[in-house]
């Protein structure tokens, strides 16, 4: 009996020491105490007690004496590690080392410091930024519609282009000292989000110069002369920039670009100068067809060794005026009917002086690192913002439509099948906007969160795709008939562009998120790799030894934490004081997921080694777990930041529960497909000792979320901020807003009519030739409603009729695309080749 008790105490002690990541001396003291008790109480056979004591001493001495440990253990393992570690190219190394490790490192730690997350300052706008968002952005939104931009102008109208330049939209990220607006990353994100609720074309046109391109590259790497010359011109719109990276045979694998330059002497402005003879062929270049300043990436070779003893100098970035002889600006691409300027460009043996290299000659060969470091931040702003904006439009407009559109005498938003789609839309948007805002806040704190940016890009664009698809399902025929009245069809057609650019989503998920995350976010893996690059044997040995045994402790600790939190349901995980009580359990459950991710990652890397890089499905699932942890963290931070709005809680609950259920599925997916089945069985027992505890969010919770989308409320406004809502009579979103308000006001009147019909005092059936006006008159005459209510009923039906209207065209659908009638226009309006709505827009 006492022996059993001793074994239980020993097991609990080992788990406790591992759980808290106790130091080696604590382990030695605990083992000595346990063996001493066993010796004194005669709990174990003498031979076993002596054997365990001897083993403990043999292990303790080298483990507690680093120099001895290195000689006996680490150095031999280090030699073996160097042999089996797969080679890493320079571009791979630069991609992995680009950016900074931030909250993603905590999520990989097995015990995230939630205080760190909750102590981050809430992102805010300055008075100047808020004024710009409220006035300049609204004015720009009011100048465009997607239909006219796409089908009439095939571009932004000239006056819109001028407005964008004059108001500084192209220089938001450029500091004021260079003539720009000097906005924060959060302000930049807010502007792009709001513009995207109105027009994808104007959003992309503004987004690209403020993202990865000449402006950002100059800010970080340009010479002072380059900055003084170009940044003021870019800020004022005197130069339109583009950046050419993608080649026909180098898309996602951009580092393998075939575009090249040779170092040579040449003539420039009448002088013989050292420069580069550049040949390139690029495509998919946004703003390329209208750009005046071309940012270009290419690989530099020095066959004559004019710059040193190396021939392949690496990827380099340069700025070339598009008016420069030899620059060929191609025609336009048409990316899924979107009309933002995009097209190919090329050049053959175009000579440029050395000082056109961004940063000058010293930056030759450093272009890939420059691109990766800028992308680490930029990828977390542009596409997350534009896709959140499109989703805001979808949620607000579709939610309103679902309330005013009736079938079977019921608002379609109250059907459970439609509720299911609305629930996903609302919950996903709440989480998307939380992740967008948190990522922008990180950039403003000086971070360049490469892994987090990849997570934000992939998951926000994927959730936006789901949101837009759900919206199209809800609005049905309204969504598939194109025309000025269609508020969602353009986003539906063009959204795959976001899935494709800045790292195609398939590769972002399967290669980048976890491929970078496993090395950058893990506290020891990168240190072990760096030790192999150390040329001094003594320093390399010491560095590897420290990383290796830290890594061992990390694995043991996360094994214990995963098992213990699984057995206890994570109920005893410590949570910071002061968190919202209704969210407390999520902090505990996410800590369990963090430990499981860290443990499973080390098991995967330890058993698969370099082969894990090729096991893309496993890598993608591990990345899904890390991503879910980040998205849930962002959601919790948002709930706290916005003052724990009780009315918004269903959105947070649904989003987090859905993400945890998906993370559980990803864990199971890794374990079920693990090549070594014995290890898989052991890992499953550790990760899910009591089975899989998470289920999909309940239908009751989904009903609460859907309800929030179909009625005017402060929650609906918070969820869809910042959104531009037009006031024009014929604007489809404005029509939905007016019809929604009228429908809510009319519902008590409808209830009176139904009660009267049930009592037999009023017939709701319309006689031949009767309309709702006649019904309202009969109801008023019968005393069921008063005259004001009768007018309200008639006005509501008229507003709803405008909402459900779809556009039609002349039979040829060709030039007569312009002949669609604006709502309320007489048929005679089609006599003009351009309808009244176009005349108004062009005025």
């Amino acid at each position: 009996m006492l022996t059993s008790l001793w074994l239980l105490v020993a097991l609990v002690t080992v788990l406790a020491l591992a759980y808290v990541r106790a130091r080696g001396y604590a382990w030695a003291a605990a083992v000595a105490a346990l063996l001493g008790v066993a010796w004194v109480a005669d709990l174990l056979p003498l031979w076993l007690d002596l054997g365990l004591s001897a083993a403990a001493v043999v292990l303790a001495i080298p483990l507690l004496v680093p120099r001895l440990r290195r000689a006996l253990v680490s150095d031999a393992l280090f030699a073996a590690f160097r042999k089996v570690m797969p080679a890493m190219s320079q571009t791979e190394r630069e991609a992995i080392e680009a950016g900074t490790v931030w909250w993603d490192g905590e999520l990989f730690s097995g015990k995230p410091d939630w205080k760190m997350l909750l102590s981050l300052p809430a992102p805010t706008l300055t008075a100047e930024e808020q004024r710009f968002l409220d006035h300049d952005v609204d004015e720009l939104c009011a100048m465009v519609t997607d239909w006219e931009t796409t089908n009439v102008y095939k571009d932004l109208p000239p006056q819109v282009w001028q407005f964008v330049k004059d108001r500084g939209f192209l220089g938001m990220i450029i500091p004021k000292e260079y003539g720009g607006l000097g906005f924060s990353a959060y302000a930049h994100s807010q502007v792009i989000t709001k513009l995207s609720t109105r027009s994808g074309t104007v959003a992309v046109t503004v987004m690209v110069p403020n993202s990865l391109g000449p402006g950002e590259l100059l800010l970080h790497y340009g010479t002072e002369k380059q900055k003084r010359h170009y940044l003021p011109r870019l800020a004022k719109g005197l130069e339109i920039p583009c950046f050419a990276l993608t080649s026909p045979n180098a898309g996602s694998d951009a580092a393998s670009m075939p575009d090249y330059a040779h170092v040579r002497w040449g003539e420039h402005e009448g002088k013989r100068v050292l420069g580069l003879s550049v040949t390139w062929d690029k495509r998919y270049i946004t703003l390329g067809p209208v750009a005046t300043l071309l940012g270009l990436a290419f690989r530099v070779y020095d066959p004559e060794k004019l710059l040193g003893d190396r021939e392949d100098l690496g990827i380099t970035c340069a700025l070339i005026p598009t008016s420069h002889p030899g620059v060929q600006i191609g025609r336009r691409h048409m990316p899924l009917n979107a009309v933002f300027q995009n097209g190919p460009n090329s050049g053959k043996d175009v000579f440029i002086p050395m000082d056109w290299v961004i940063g000058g000659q010293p930056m030759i060969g450093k272009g890939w690192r420059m691109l990766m470091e800028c992308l680490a931040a930029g990828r977390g702003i542009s596409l997350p913002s534009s896709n959140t904006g499109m989703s805001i439009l979808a949620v607000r407009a579709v939610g309103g439509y679902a309330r005013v559109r009736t079938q079977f005498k019921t608002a379609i938003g109250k059907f459970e099948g439609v509720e299911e789609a609305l629930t996903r839309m609302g919950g996903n948007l709440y989480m998307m906007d939380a992740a967008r805002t948190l990522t922008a806040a990180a950039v403003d704190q000086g971070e360049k969160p490469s892994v987090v940016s990849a997570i934000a890009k992939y998951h926000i664009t994927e959730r936006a795709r789901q949101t837009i698809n759900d919206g199209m399902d809800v609005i049905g025929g309204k969504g598939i008939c194109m025309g000025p009245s269609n508020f969602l069809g353009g986003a539906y057609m063009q959204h795959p562009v976001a899935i494709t650019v800045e790292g195609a989503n398939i590769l972002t998920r399967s290669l980048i998120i976890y491929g970078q995350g496993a090395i950058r976010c893990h506290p020891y893996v990168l240190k072990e790799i760096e030790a192999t690059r150390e040329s001094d044997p003594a320093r390399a040995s010491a560095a590897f030894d420290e990383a290796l045994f830290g890594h061992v402790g990390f694995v043991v600790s996360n094994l214990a934490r995963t098992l213990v939190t699984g057995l206890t349901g994570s109920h005893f995980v410590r949570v910071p004081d002061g968190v919202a009580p209704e969210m407390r359990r999520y902090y505990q459950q996410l800590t369990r997921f963090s430990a499981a991710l860290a443990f499973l990652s080390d098991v995967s890397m330890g058993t698969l080694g370099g082969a894990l890089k090729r096991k893309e499905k496993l890598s993608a699932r591990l990345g899904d777990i890390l991503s879910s942890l980040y998205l849930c963290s962002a959601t919790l931070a948002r709930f706290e930041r916005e003052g724990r709005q009780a009315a918004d809680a269903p959105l947070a609950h649904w989003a987090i529960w859905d993400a945890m259920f998906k993370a559980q599925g990803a864990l199971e997916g890794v374990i079920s497909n693990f090549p070594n089945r014995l290890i898989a069985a052991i890992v499953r027992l550790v990760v899910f000792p009591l089975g899989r505890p998470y289920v999909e969010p309940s239908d009751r919770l989904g009903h609460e979320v859907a309800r929030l989308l179909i009625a005017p409320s402060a929650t609906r406004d918070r969820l869809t901020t910042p959104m531009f809502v037009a006031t024009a009579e014929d604007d489809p979103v404005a029509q939905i807003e007016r019809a929604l308000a009228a429908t809510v006001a009319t519902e008590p009147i409808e209830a009176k009519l139904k009660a009267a019909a049930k009592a037999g005092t009023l017939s709701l059936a319309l006689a031949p030739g009767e309309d709702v006006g006649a019904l309202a008159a009969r109801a008023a005459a019968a005393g069921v409603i008063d005259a004001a209510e009768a007018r309200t009923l008639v006005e509501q039906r008229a507003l709803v009729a405008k909402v459900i209207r779809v556009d039609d065209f002349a039979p040829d659908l060709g030039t007569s695309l312009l002949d669609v009638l604006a709502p309320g226009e007489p048929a005679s309006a089609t006599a003009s080749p351009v309808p009244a709505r176009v005349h108004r827009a062009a005025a």
Side-chain angles (χ1 to χ4, degrees):
M1 183 64 179
L2 288 176
T3 300
S4 298
L5 180 61
W6 180 87
L7 289 171
L8 179 61
V9 170
L11 177 61
V12 171
T13 300
V14 168
L15 284 174
L17 289 169
Y19 189 94
V20 300
R21 298 182 190 172
R23 299 179 67 86
Y25 293 103
W27 278 93
V31 170
L34 285 168
L35 292 174
V37 169
W39 176 275
V40 171
D42 198 21
L43 300 177
L44 298 174
L46 180 59
W47 65 269
L48 182 58
D49 206 343
L50 291 173
L52 290 174
S53 298
V57 171
V58 169
L59 289 173
I61 291 176
L63 290 177
L64 297 177
V65 183
R67 184 171 296 179
L68 185 58
R69 182 176 68 213
R70 290 197 292 271
L72 295 176
V73 181
S74 302
D75 287 349
L77 292 175
F78 186 36
F81 181 70
R82 269 182 159 161
K83 290 179 181 178
V84 301
M85 194 184 78
M88 185 181 295
S89 69
Q90 181 67 22
T91 52
E92 283 180 309
R93 183 178 297 117
E94 289 175 348
I96 287 172
E97 294 175 351
T100 58
V101 177
W102 176 60
W103 177 244
D104 43 335
E106 288 294 319
L107 295 175
F108 222 103
S109 71
K111 53 173 187 178
D113 181 2
W114 295 107
K115 289 182 181 178
M116 170 188 165
L117 176 71
L118 298 176
S119 66
L120 291 172
T124 57
L125 299 177
T126 65
E128 180 186 0
E129 291 168 342
Q130 188 67 60
R131 187 165 53 251
F132 188 87
L133 185 67
D134 292 340
H135 298 288
D136 297 71
V137 175
D138 279 9
E139 192 173 347
L140 175 55
C141 287
M143 295 174 72
V144 297
T145 73
D146 246 358
W147 174 255
E148 289 164 359
T149 300
T150 302
N151 297 283
V152 177
Y153 299 102
K154 308 294 184 183
D155 187 10
L156 293 181
Q159 69 272 19
V160 174
W161 267 110
Q162 196 60 49
F163 183 89
V164 165
K165 296 175 183 178
D166 292 344
R167 297 297 178 92
F169 278 89
L170 303 184
M172 289 190 293
I173 67 168
I174 296 175
K176 291 183 178 181
E177 64 181 289
Y178 296 110
L181 297 179
F183 282 180
S184 65
Y186 178 60
H188 173 197
S189 178
Q190 290 289 89
V191 170
I192 299 303
T193 300
K194 194 169 192 177
L195 290 175
S196 299
T197 69
R198 182 61 171 174
S199 166
T201 298
V202 74
V204 171
T205 301
V206 170
M207 179 177 78
V208 168
N210 290 286
S211 184
L212 177 62
E216 187 170 12
L217 292 170
L218 282 169
L219 278 174
H220 294 291
Y221 309 105
T223 65
E224 190 58 32
K225 181 180 179 182
Q226 289 172 337
K227 292 178 184 179
R228 293 291 174 192
H229 176 73
Y230 279 119
L231 290 179
R233 296 180 61 79
L234 289 168
K236 294 180 175 64
L238 300 176
E239 301 278 7
I240 301 297
C242 71
F243 191 81
L245 176 63
T246 305
S247 303
N249 293 305
S252 295
D253 184 17
S256 66
M257 66 182 71
D259 312 289
Y260 64 91
H262 289 148
V263 180
R264 69 173 179 85
W265 291 92
E267 292 290 325
H268 179 67
E269 295 181 346
K271 297 179 182 179
R272 187 171 184 266
V273 298
L274 188 64
L276 302 169
S277 179
V278 191
T279 296
W280 75 93
D281 181 17
K282 303 288 190 178
R283 65 180 183 181
Y284 309 148
I285 311 307
T286 300
L287 297 188
V290 295
T292 61
L293 183 63
L294 171 65
L296 188 65
F298 48 86
R299 185 173 291 276
V300 173
Y301 297 92
D302 187 9
E304 299 179 39
K305 308 292 179 65
L306 296 175
L307 300 181
D309 58 0
R310 290 170 51 226
E311 183 171 339
D312 184 351
L313 301 184
I315 294 172
T316 300
C317 298
L319 295 179
I320 306 175
T322 57
S323 59
H324 187 62
V327 176
Q328 300 294 320
I329 298 298
R331 301 194 300 173
R332 289 177 65 180
H333 298 311
M334 191 179 211
L336 291 175
N337 214 36
V339 295
F340 58 83
Q341 293 284 341
N342 185 279
N345 61 69
S346 60
K348 183 172 177 58
D349 297 328
V350 177
F351 182 79
I352 64 172
M354 200 64 76
D355 58 7
W356 285 9
V357 172
I358 297 177
Q361 183 176 319
M363 296 304 288
I364 287 180
K366 298 179 181 179
W368 191 246
R369 177 176 287 276
M370 292 161 56
L371 294 173
M372 291 299 99
E373 288 179 348
C374 287
L375 191 62
R379 184 162 50 190
I381 302 295
S382 54
L383 289 170
S385 302
S386 61
N387 280 257
T388 299
M390 284 191 286
S391 299
I392 287 173
L393 166 65
V395 166
R396 190 172 185 102
V398 172
Y401 183 90
R403 182 67 172 268
V404 306
R405 176 64 161 151
T406 60
Q407 292 287 276
F408 308 104
K409 300 180 180 179
T410 304
I412 63 172
K414 296 181 180 180
F415 287 95
E416 286 198 355
V418 173
E419 270 194 354
E420 196 170 25
L422 292 174
T423 298
R424 285 193 297 268
M425 294 174 71
N428 279 332
L429 176 57
Y430 189 86
M431 179 170 274
M432 291 160 60
D433 204 20
R436 171 189 73 89
T437 302
L438 183 62
T439 306
V443 175
D444 279 331
Q445 292 294 310
E447 300 289 344
K448 292 184 178 180
S450 55
V451 175
V452 161
S453 292
I455 290 171
K457 188 272 175 180
Y458 172 79
H459 285 277
I460 290 177
T461 57
E462 287 294 336
R463 279 169 165 76
R465 170 155 57 182
Q466 176 75 70
T467 298
I468 293 168
N469 286 349
D470 281 333
M472 290 290 287
D473 286 349
V474 172
I475 64 177
K478 175 76 173 179
I480 64 173
C481 291
M482 293 303 294
S485 299
N486 189 324
F487 58 86
L488 197 56
Y492 176 76
M493 286 192 293
Q494 296 165 20
H495 183 263
V497 175
I499 298 292
T500 303
V501 300
E502 290 193 11
N505 274 12
I506 288 177
L507 295 184
T508 298
R509 175 175 177 260
S510 60
L511 292 178
I512 296 176
I513 293 175
Y514 188 75
Q516 277 191 307
I519 296 176
R520 288 305 309 275
C521 301
H522 195 289
Y524 298 105
V525 168
L526 188 57
K527 293 177 182 178
E528 291 165 340
I529 294 173
E530 288 175 341
T532 65
R533 301 183 202 152
E534 175 58 57
S535 58
D536 182 87
R539 284 200 296 266
S541 174
F544 183 77
D545 173 78
E546 183 180 354
L548 173 64
F549 280 88
H551 196 159
V552 170
F554 184 73
V555 174
V556 171
S557 175
N558 282 311
L559 185 157
R561 295 179 68 84
T562 302
L563 179 60
V564 170
T565 54
L567 289 170
T568 62
S570 64
H571 282 281
F572 300 104
V573 173
R574 297 182 65 180
V575 175
D577 295 331
V579 301
E582 61 268 42
M583 301 292 161
R584 180 181 178 82
R585 282 290 293 138
Y586 296 137
Y587 291 93
Q588 295 176 321
Q589 291 162 325
L590 293 173
T591 299
R592 174 185 177 183
F593 275 112
S594 174
L597 170 64
F599 171 63
L600 192 54
S601 293
D602 277 314
V603 172
S604 300
M605 288 187 283
T607 56
L608 295 174
L612 180 59
K613 183 178 178 180
R614 298 185 294 276
K615 296 287 186 181
E616 294 176 23
K617 295 175 185 176
L618 291 181
S619 177
R621 294 183 184 110
L622 289 165
D624 289 343
I625 303 164
L626 177 61
S627 298
S628 293
L629 284 167
Y630 181 70
L631 295 172
C632 289
S633 301
T635 304
L636 290 170
R638 175 180 184 173
F639 190 75
E640 292 287 345
R641 184 177 65 248
E642 293 184 349
R644 305 179 185 179
Q645 300 290 336
D648 300 0
L651 294 162
H653 285 304
W654 189 93
I656 294 173
W657 199 259
D658 176 68
M660 289 197 306
F661 178 70
K662 290 174 178 174
Q664 175 182 263
L667 280 168
E668 177 59 39
V670 174
I671 296 169
S672 296
N673 291 280
F674 210 75
N676 188 311
R677 300 313 303 154
L678 176 60
I679 293 178
I682 296 170
V683 169
R684 179 176 278 107
L685 285 174
V686 174
V687 175
F688 298 122
L690 302 178
R692 285 173 282 173
Y694 301 101
V695 296
E696 289 187 336
S698 69
D699 290 345
R700 179 181 298 177
L701 178 59
H703 171 71
E704 292 181 41
V705 172
R707 226 167 22 91
L708 295 172
L709 270 60
I710 64 173
S713 68
T715 292
R716 182 171 178 260
D717 290 340
R718 279 190 295 271
L719 182 63
T720 57
T721 297
M723 174 158 177
F724 173 77
V725 179
T727 57
E729 179 68 26
D730 58 353
D731 183 85
V733 177
Q735 290 173 344
I736 290 173
E737 291 291 302
R738 287 191 288 268
L740 176 60
T743 297
V744 172
T746 304
E747 283 176 352
I749 303 172
E750 298 275 9
K752 289 182 181 181
L753 297 180
K754 291 177 181 178
K758 188 174 181 179
T761 58
L762 179 70
S763 172
L764 299 183
L766 295 177
E770 271 194 326
D771 58 15
V772 68
L775 172 61
R778 284 195 284 110
V784 176
I785 57 176
D786 60 29
E789 290 173 324
R791 287 194 298 272
T792 299
L793 181 64
V794 173
E795 290 169 359
Q796 185 266 346
R797 296 292 175 85
L799 290 170
V800 170
K802 291 181 179 180
V803 167
I804 65 174
R805 171 188 180 274
V806 297
D807 300 293
D808 54 77
F809 302 87
D812 62 3
L813 291 179
T815 57
S816 56
L817 273 173
L818 302 182
D819 292 341
V820 61
L821 292 178
E825 281 188 280
S828 60
T830 59
S832 168
V834 182
R837 63 165 49 239
V838 176
H839 282 305
R840 287 195 295 274

